[in-house]
Amino acid sequence: MNGVDVYAISQVLHEAGVWHKIEDDFICTKKTRIKIPKINEKVAYFAGVVAGDGNLNKCRRKVGGYYYRVNVVGRKEYIEQLPVLIRELFRYQPRIQRDKRKKNCYAININCAAVYFFFIQLGFQSGKKDRLRVPSLIAENASLFQHYMHGLIDTDGSVLKNRVHLKQRDKGFLKELVRLLKKHLNISSTHPKVNYTKGKPYYYIRFPDFRSVTT
């Protein structure tokens, strides 16, 4: 039992007042039938994607109550690759929309309480990502962490001359990545350094791009 199974998701849905029923490994609500996947390398990769360019939101409905959403924002050519993975993991067909705030920026939305609470149970927070940490189930496993880092680099990293530059607001999260990169992949990273964007502090680390070696 890993704490992110169909029964754990059912319990938090019940506590949130979301009607549902369980069918084998699926959570069925009035509008969706969602598979709850085992924690595997593809889940770890997508968790890295959500950590990088995604976010979880609990939104109030105009008619009362709440709806729950997981979304990822990024380049069109990358966002268009994600529906295949999301369908495989959750049996959910996501929507892709234009994000008008930036040029060539698109958003993929998963408007589904079961998927939202899957990530909550995994260890993500809802709303602002100001206390981001690697989910413990992923941080404890070298292979899962490697795939998590792939997703994080694909969304939130930039690569120049086989060296990854990873930038975050949360210095503590980067310090955790430095430790886990060394522990699991024997990769040495720079310690978090700070620069300022529009007067706000951002931290960054740099390390060798290991993806072509480990995939």
Side-chain angles (χ1 to χ4, degrees):
M1 193 71 65
N2 58 33
V4 197
D5 61 17
V6 66
Y7 297 103
I9 305 304
S10 176
Q11 179 62 35
V12 291
L13 286 170
H14 176 74
E15 292 170 358
V18 178
W19 181 91
H20 66 282
K21 60 181 179 179
I22 296 174
E23 293 181 357
D24 297 322
D25 292 330
F26 288 80
I27 294 284
C28 303
T29 66
K30 293 179 181 179
K31 295 183 178 181
T32 60
R33 185 173 186 268
I34 299 299
K35 181 182 178 181
I36 303 303
K38 305 296 183 183
I39 305 301
N40 57 27
E41 292 173 347
K42 291 183 179 180
V43 168
Y45 175 85
F46 190 54
V49 170
V50 175
D53 279 348
N55 132 313
L56 279 64
N57 287 290
K58 176 183 177 182
C59 308
R60 188 179 296 276
R61 297 182 185 276
K62 293 181 180 179
V63 295
Y66 296 91
Y67 69 93
Y68 303 88
R69 182 177 66 195
V70 178
N71 78 313
V72 181
V73 178
R75 307 178 311 277
K76 180 180 180 181
E77 58 271 20
Y78 180 73
I79 290 295
E80 288 179 340
Q81 299 175 30
L82 291 179
V84 173
L85 176 61
I86 293 168
R87 285 196 301 269
E88 180 179 350
L89 293 178
F90 301 106
R91 301 295 191 269
Y92 179 89
Q93 178 61 51
R95 296 168 53 199
I96 297 177
Q97 297 177 319
R98 178 79 178 271
D99 188 330
K100 298 180 180 178
R101 294 173 298 177
K102 295 182 180 179
K103 185 178 180 181
N104 193 35
C105 196
Y106 286 74
I108 193 161
N109 295 311
I110 306 174
N111 296 309
C112 176
V115 178
Y116 170 92
F117 282 110
F118 176 87
F119 281 99
I120 293 291
Q121 289 297 101
L122 189 59
F124 282 75
Q125 67 185 88
S126 187
K128 292 180 65 175
K129 295 190 296 184
D130 55 0
R131 298 184 306 277
L132 190 60
R133 294 295 180 267
V134 181
S136 60
L137 289 170
I138 294 173
E140 294 165 1
N141 183 289
S143 179
L144 294 180
F145 176 70
Q146 173 188 315
H147 284 79
Y148 175 89
M149 286 300 300
H150 284 208
L152 187 60
I153 294 168
D154 283 351
T155 51
D156 221 21
S158 58
V159 181
L160 180 63
K161 295 182 179 179
N162 294 319
R163 195 157 182 82
V164 176
H165 178 101
L166 196 61
K167 179 179 174 182
Q168 287 278 336
R169 290 292 303 275
D170 189 339
K171 183 179 180 180
F173 178 53
L174 291 181
K175 290 175 70 175
E176 182 183 25
L177 295 181
V178 170
R179 179 179 64 83
L180 292 173
L181 281 166
K182 186 63 177 178
K183 176 183 177 180
H184 289 314
L185 303 178
N186 197 28
I187 290 175
S188 297
S189 169
T190 62
H191 292 291
K193 298 180 180 180
V194 67
N195 62 18
Y196 289 82
T197 302
K198 296 181 179 179
K200 296 181 179 179
Y202 285 84
Y203 298 90
Y204 66 90
I205 57 175
R206 290 174 177 158
F207 52 90
D209 186 4
F210 58 88
R211 292 172 298 169
S212 61
V213 177
T214 58
T215 54

